[in-house]
Amino acid sequence: QSTWGDCSRSGMAEKFRDCAVVVVFNEQGEVLVCQRKEKHGSWQFPQGGVEQEETPAAAASREMFEEIGIEANKHVNIVDTLPEGQCYRVPGSESWAKKGYVGQRLFFSLFFFEGAGLPPCDLSGQGGQKAEFDSVRWNSLENAVAEIVEFKRPAYQWFATNARPLIEKFLRSRI
């Protein structure tokens, strides 16, 4: 059985938590990845739950500030949010099961950083949130997909396939 995909395929009894994913990219088409504080060597895009009455784009902006201290419309600009969510199951997670979820449905939002070097990140945890990451770096989209934990990889692969043309079109429009 697949660990991701259109959530409707997974059966009506299973619930997936809506989750906003933050993808910041630069002039070179590289994406910003973050190393999990409690799992060194585990790199991913910032992400977090979509609150009631919140759009995935608004949730992505909020999560980006809370987790890495980057503010939308100040440090980066939103480019697009992919309209289709991609699901994955969290294997063997009792904490997710207690909340009534089998996994998450990821909604990816693209943000553009115009500038040299890394964006001004603050990894201490903003808005009362605890710190989740201890470092950031630019990475190719291919390597970001290859380095993600295996159960999220199909969703990240879907994202890369669908986001690459959007990123390339955006960057061409800036020439």
Side-chain angles (χ1 to χ4, degrees), residues 15-19 39 47-50 88-106 151-152:
K15 285 178 47 183
F16 292 83
R17 180 185 131 189
D18 284 349
C19 181
K39 294 182 183 176
Q47 68 179 53
V50 177
Y88 69 87
R89 287 178 180 77
V90 179
S93 176
E94 289 182 28
S95 64
W96 282 94
K98 287 178 185 175
K99 296 175 188 174
Y101 297 110
V102 296
Q104 296 195 95
R105 179 170 53 175
L106 304 179
F151 62 87
K152 290 185 186 179

Side-chain angles (χ1 to χ4, degrees), residues 54-119:
E54 192 176 41
T55 66
S61 293
R62 178 181 49 75
E63 289 291 337
M64 180 170 53
F65 177 70
E66 290 175 355
E67 294 186 3
I68 59 176
I70 296 176
E71 293 182 62
N73 303 319
K74 180 177 179 183
H75 303 118
V76 297
N77 292 307
I78 190 155
V79 173
D80 204 353
T81 297
L82 280 71
E84 185 179 336
Q86 294 299 304
C87 298
Y88 69 87
R89 287 178 180 77
V90 179
S93 176
E94 289 182 28
S95 64
W96 282 94
K98 287 178 185 175
K99 296 175 188 174
Y101 297 110
V102 296
Q104 296 195 95
R105 179 170 53 175
L106 304 179
F107 290 93
F108 294 88
S109 290
L110 293 166
F111 296 86
F112 177 67
F113 172 69
E114 183 176 4
L118 291 168

Side-chain angles (χ1 to χ4, degrees), residues 40-57:
H40 276 261
S42 179
W43 295 85
Q44 69 175 62
F45 300 132
Q47 68 179 53
V50 177
E51 304 294 338
Q52 196 81 350
E53 306 299 321
E54 192 176 41
T55 66

Side-chain angles (χ1 to χ4, degrees), residues 100-153:
Y101 297 110
V102 296
Q104 296 195 95
R105 179 170 53 175
L106 304 179
F107 290 93
F108 294 88
S109 290
L110 293 166
F111 296 86
F112 177 67
F113 172 69
E114 183 176 4
L118 291 168
C121 296
D122 180 344
L123 305 179
S124 64
Q126 303 298 308
Q129 301 298 311
K130 67 178 181 70
E132 294 190 37
F133 302 109
D134 61 14
S135 61
V136 299
R137 70 173 191 224
W138 291 116
N139 205 349
S140 70
L141 194 50
E142 295 77 20
N143 285 343
V145 170
E147 293 175 357
I148 191 63
V149 65
E150 189 175 338
F151 62 87
K152 290 185 186 179
R153 194 166 300 140

